[in-house]
Amino acid sequence: MAHNEKPTALIMIFGATGDLANRKLFPSLYNLYAKGQLDKFAVVGVARRSLTNEEFQLRVKESVTEHGEAAANLDEFVSKFYYHSHDVTDSSSYIALGKLAEELDENYRLDGNRIFYLAMAPEFFGTIAEHLKKDKLTNVTGFKRLVIEKPFGHDLESAKVLNKQIRTAFSEDEIYRIDHYLGKEMVQNIEVIRFANAMFEPLWNNRYISNIQVTSSETLGVEERGRYYEKSGALRDMVQNHMLQMVSLLAMEPPIKLTTDEIRSEKVRVFRALRPIIGEEVNDYFVRGQYGQGSMNEKEVPAYRQEEMVDPDSNTETFVAGKLMIDNFRWAGVPFYIRTGKRMKAKSTKIVIQFKDIPMDLYYQREQTVNPNLLVIHIQPEEGITLHLNAKKSGQGTEATPVKLNYANKGIDGLNTPEAYEKLLYDSLRGDATNFTHWDEVALSWSFVDNISAVWENTNEHSFPNYESGSMGPEAADKLLKNDGFFWWPVTEIDVDNC
Ligand code: NAD
């Protein structure tokens, strides 16, 4: 579809009474509508409980008012929303849904285009896809696309089973696996920063970069997601998808063209070059943590093991730090450090590219003996880029001092950047799968992560809980870098807002 063409489709949201639909999907759809980016469309909300269309429309209205920026056309927007009370295992329920879909397709002239958005618990993904095929909802005259939320499986084996199930009804080209980090403005910016700037790409290799650090820290604890999180942990919840996706964008070769296939194949090559960490090596390359009690904003908070639906002896990690090596010509010898965790000191997702020191320090620097050049990409909550350079300290003498060149995304645009979900929904409607995860990426990242969970699952971590709530994780995570002569650049001090 050409960029200026407006998409036309029937959007079916499975899990329409859930948290994701309410907080993200309805407000995002509304934003697209309000910007005039949707042409002909209708939405069917599908969920278990029974609701009338009017009750459902009211919920959508409330969701947009609460989480978005509602305006006068909200009534018109919600008038296109319909509700279907559904049992995911019952064919007759799908057949009734199919009838409703046909009616809406005709009434709204939707060209037989259908988006099936699965915003519900992953154990239903396979069953739904199989029923969509069996009960003929995928027999369409236009396009059919499956948009599917994380987690995509629990390990490689379960991901393969799920993939096989959904592939019975949809081809790989029709599957849009959501990784909402790929919808974030500054994650999408990684490629532009790298490939549109003559001053970076020549330096983007092991001759000039000493290490790369990717941090994604949360201040929240597990909240009410204990049941899910106990089976997942930070490795599966964050590393397998979001962290490895960011690494692949940082490390990939320039694509020949900016097409979905070219970009994906370069990303896949990064995953293929990722050094597997197996058996006892896991202890040298990875650190796990679990939060203990502590204080956040001067409020006492409980340890992970005291949270609801969490085993009091839980061995689940709420923090992971790791050192990744990409064994190819460009990156040989350059560590990519990643860390992610809950209940940490700051909510921050940042990438720090640390350049190698110049061969000889001619200038005395008061603050530190060395001030390496850094390129910091601020992903969230603030969005921007900071370049750390050295300049002459004003006045007499030849002392150097660090200076920061700063680009704050929000400051320039004066607008909130579009939510990741808004962009990804729009991409799926337009048929652009670039910012979704291909099966090859899913499979390779699970095989990398499975080697680590295999070791962790078989050994209890006796030091748990090993970091205080409100800290930046366990000491071992600092040691991981210290052993290589590095340290984590503190996320709060390099904030774009503080520059
Ligand atoms: P939720 O528990 O809030 O909602 C689940 C929805 O599924 C509800 O609408 C419920 O009615 C429906 N449902 C459950 N069982 C059903 C059944 N047997 N038949 C028909 N409908 C049924 O879940 P959520 O937080 O909205 O998450 C949905 C998906 O999105 C999950 O895969 C989750 O991992 C993923 N996700 C959620 C978020 C988030 O912010 N909530 C973020 C990223 C990914």
Side-chain angles (χ1 to χ4, degrees), residues 1-9 37 39 111 113 143 145 426-432:
M1 175 180 287
H3 259 271
N4 50 3
E5 240 178 274
K6 290 183 190 175
T8 293
Q37 288 176 319
D39 187 17
D111 303 339
N113 293 332
F143 64 68
R145 294 181 192 137
Y426 191 52
D427 283 352
S428 68
L429 282 157
R430 288 189 310 120
D432 181 350

Side-chain angles (χ1 to χ4, degrees), residues 196-247:
N197 289 300
M199 63 183 290
F200 289 131
E201 192 47 35
L203 306 184
W204 211 263
N205 55 53
N206 54 8
R207 266 170 293 153
Y208 299 100
I209 290 179
S210 81
N211 73 91
I212 293 184
Q213 304 178 8
V214 185
T215 299
S216 187
S217 58
E218 284 179 67
T219 49
L220 288 179
V222 70
E223 311 299 298
E224 66 290 341
R225 291 171 72 221
R227 193 202 305 265
Y228 158 75
Y229 203 80
E230 273 287 89
K231 286 188 266 150
S232 160
L235 185 68
R236 292 188 170 99
D237 192 45
M238 288 294 293
V239 175
Q240 181 269 335
N241 37 44
H242 313 314
M243 303 302 280
L244 289 182
Q245 281 294 326
M246 287 191 280
V247 168

Side-chain angles (χ1 to χ4, degrees), residues 166-215:
I166 62 175
R167 286 294 303 273
T168 57
F170 298 89
S171 67
E172 177 62 30
D173 289 353
E174 294 170 330
I175 301 169
Y176 290 67
R177 297 180 193 82
I178 293 252
D179 183 321
H180 67 274
Y181 271 58
L182 296 181
K184 291 186 189 290
E185 188 64 26
M186 293 308 295
V187 172
Q188 296 188 351
N189 228 318
I190 294 172
E191 284 172 83
V192 184
I193 294 166
R194 288 190 52 194
F195 304 135
N197 289 300
M199 63 183 290
F200 289 131
E201 192 47 35
L203 306 184
W204 211 263
N205 55 53
N206 54 8
R207 266 170 293 153
Y208 299 100
I209 290 179
S210 81
N211 73 91
I212 293 184
Q213 304 178 8
V214 185
T215 299

Side-chain angles (χ1 to χ4, degrees), residues 14-24 46-49 83 86-89 117-122 124-125 149-151 178 180 225 228 242 421:
F14 288 75
T17 54
D19 176 65
L20 184 74
N22 183 46
R23 280 193 310 118
K24 302 286 183 189
V46 180
R48 198 167 26 184
R49 79 182 65 169
Y83 186 78
H86 191 65
D87 177 347
V88 283
T89 55
Y117 196 123
L118 306 193
M120 50 191 295
F124 299 121
F125 293 166
E149 272 296 334
K150 78 166 196 183
I178 293 252
H180 67 274
R225 291 171 72 221
Y228 158 75
H242 313 314
Y421 273 97

Side-chain angles (χ1 to χ4, degrees), residues 126-147:
T127 314
I128 297 174
E130 284 177 343
H131 268 286
L132 290 177
K133 163 105 179 152
K134 182 167 151 255
D135 300 320
K136 303 197 170 55
L137 275 93
T138 52
N139 287 3
V140 290
T141 50
F143 64 68
K144 63 178 198 305
R145 294 181 192 137
L146 181 76
V147 185

